[in-house]
Amino acid sequence: MRGSQLSRRGLFGLVSAGAAALLGSTAAAAGRVTSVQVGGALSALAVSPVTGLVYAADQASGMVVVLDPDAERVVATLAVGGEPSDVAVDTDRIYVANPAGGTVLAFDSQTHRFLSGVSAGAGASALAIDPQADLVYAVSGKTGTFAVLDSISLTQRDLLPAPKPGLAGIALDRGRRRAYCTSPSTNSVEICDLDAGAFTASVPVGAAPAGIGVHELSGAVFVANSAIHHLSIVDGSTRVPVKTVPLRSEASSLAVHQGSDVVYTNGGQNGLSRVDGRTETLAGELSLGVNPGAVAVDQRTRTVYVTDPLHGTINVVRDF
């Protein structure tokens, strides 16, 4: 299915001087947006670091849809069952969280062949990968448990006890050997020492934190707060919140482009917001005309992908 080309140039203006004072100035930017119809109720996105293919979890059908963004069409589907809530991809494999089964399903990233299902704790719903360590991490939105999975043998190595009632998102600082997990019910980020295999700190952030990402060079942690109009920034070294960046709307998902230290989040007014991680300021906004869902970025091309869950489309955003 071929998407329609929607060119967007410039940013929509601030609606008042008061809003300008709150948000700060936003530099002009260009964004080329292609909308590709894939169907379903899309809940999560991931981009292959090798092929650039985009994987979208569809909770309505129990499938993972595979999008070729250059061809602007779906090229494969992976049968998962249940209601897949997250997907993660490395050079060799695709991992899908299946909360209903408490499992993580593994597929071959070249052939898309199903390999195995791994027990990851009841309600396992969010994923992160450390390819160098051959490990996959899964946290549970139902119980808050933290599963450590071996990506070679596809077995469970460990299941850490719940630090909080439920964990919504997870991001890794692989160099510093830390995992950061959002806890919506306690408005905090829980920090796990991966070498010690234990949670060692809790950092207060905004209301109902959900999406989370790490800029691995600086160690800065970015948190999308789904019940308040701002993005929290946490210093990974001191483990304290250092900044809140005002947004136009609540944000539930974000993606960090490692090379540029830029954060893309769905906290825009019916679109995307771009945050400069170096200056810790709102740097741009792009209207998509829809209430955006999951966000992912291709680390090689800086192309951003955003779901429209209500209409079953994926927006492909270039040059923003």
Side-chain angles (χ1 to χ4, degrees):
M1 292 169 284
R2 188 172 181 83
S4 57
Q5 187 74 23
L6 307 175
S7 295
R8 299 281 194 269
R9 294 201 175 273
L11 305 173
F12 57 86
L14 298 176
V15 296
S16 67
L22 175 64
L23 294 172
S25 62
T26 54
R32 295 185 295 116
V33 183
T34 301
S35 179
V36 183
Q37 183 72 41
V38 301
L42 307 176
S43 60
L45 287 174
V47 183
S48 168
V50 177
T51 65
L53 293 176
V54 179
Y55 296 82
D58 176 11
Q59 292 187 323
S61 67
M63 308 284 284
V64 169
V65 177
V66 185
L67 171 70
D68 182 332
D70 294 327
E72 299 179 16
R73 64 185 181 89
V74 173
V75 294
T77 56
L78 312 180
V80 176
E83 297 182 353
S85 61
D86 201 9
V87 59
V89 187
D90 64 14
T91 57
D92 300 313
R93 291 179 179 173
I94 306 150
Y95 302 94
V96 185
N98 179 21
T103 57
V104 172
L105 307 182
F107 296 80
D108 185 285
S109 62
Q110 299 301 314
T111 65
H112 293 153
R113 179 174 61 89
F114 174 69
L115 299 174
S116 183
V118 187
S119 175
S125 54
L127 302 173
I129 305 175
D130 185 344
Q132 286 72 38
D134 295 321
L135 294 174
V136 179
Y137 301 93
V139 294
S140 170
K142 180 179 179 180
T143 66
T145 54
F146 184 101
V148 184
L149 312 178
D150 188 309
S151 64
I152 300 298
S153 63
L154 295 177
T155 57
Q156 184 190 114
R157 279 197 188 181
D158 203 358
L159 188 65
L160 305 183
K164 294 293 170 69
L167 300 176
I170 177 173
L172 301 180
D173 185 333
R174 293 171 293 185
R176 297 171 182 83
R177 300 293 297 151
R178 294 174 189 159
Y180 298 90
C181 308
T182 51
S183 173
S185 64
T186 59
N187 300 331
S188 64
V189 169
E190 305 302 308
I191 303 176
C192 182
D193 183 319
L194 296 176
D195 291 330
F199 283 86
T200 57
S202 180
V203 181
V205 288
I212 189 166
V214 178
H215 182 247
E216 295 197 57
L217 181 61
S218 66
V221 183
F222 301 92
V223 185
N225 301 302
S226 64
I228 193 169
H229 291 209
H230 72 233
L231 186 85
S232 295
I233 303 177
V234 174
D235 186 315
S237 299
T238 62
R239 303 182 179 190
V240 297
V242 294
K243 187 74 176 288
T244 58
V245 180
L247 302 174
R248 292 298 190 97
S249 181
E250 300 91 346
S252 59
S253 180
L254 60 79
V256 181
H257 183 255
Q258 299 295 330
S260 61
D261 194 4
V262 168
V263 182
Y264 298 96
T265 179
N266 62 348
Q269 188 177 35
N270 292 326
L272 276 175
S273 289
R274 188 181 74 233
V275 173
D276 187 322
R278 294 163 296 183
T279 62
E280 300 177 344
T281 58
L282 181 64
E285 295 173 305
L286 179 68
S287 176
L288 298 173
V290 298
N291 188 23
V295 180
V297 63
D298 189 322
Q299 296 297 331
R300 304 168 308 162
T301 65
R302 199 168 156 177
T303 301
V304 184
Y305 300 93
V306 190
T307 65
D308 175 2
L310 293 180
H311 301 97
T313 61
I314 297 175
N315 292 299
V316 183
V317 182
R318 298 179 175 89
D319 303 325
F320 174 58

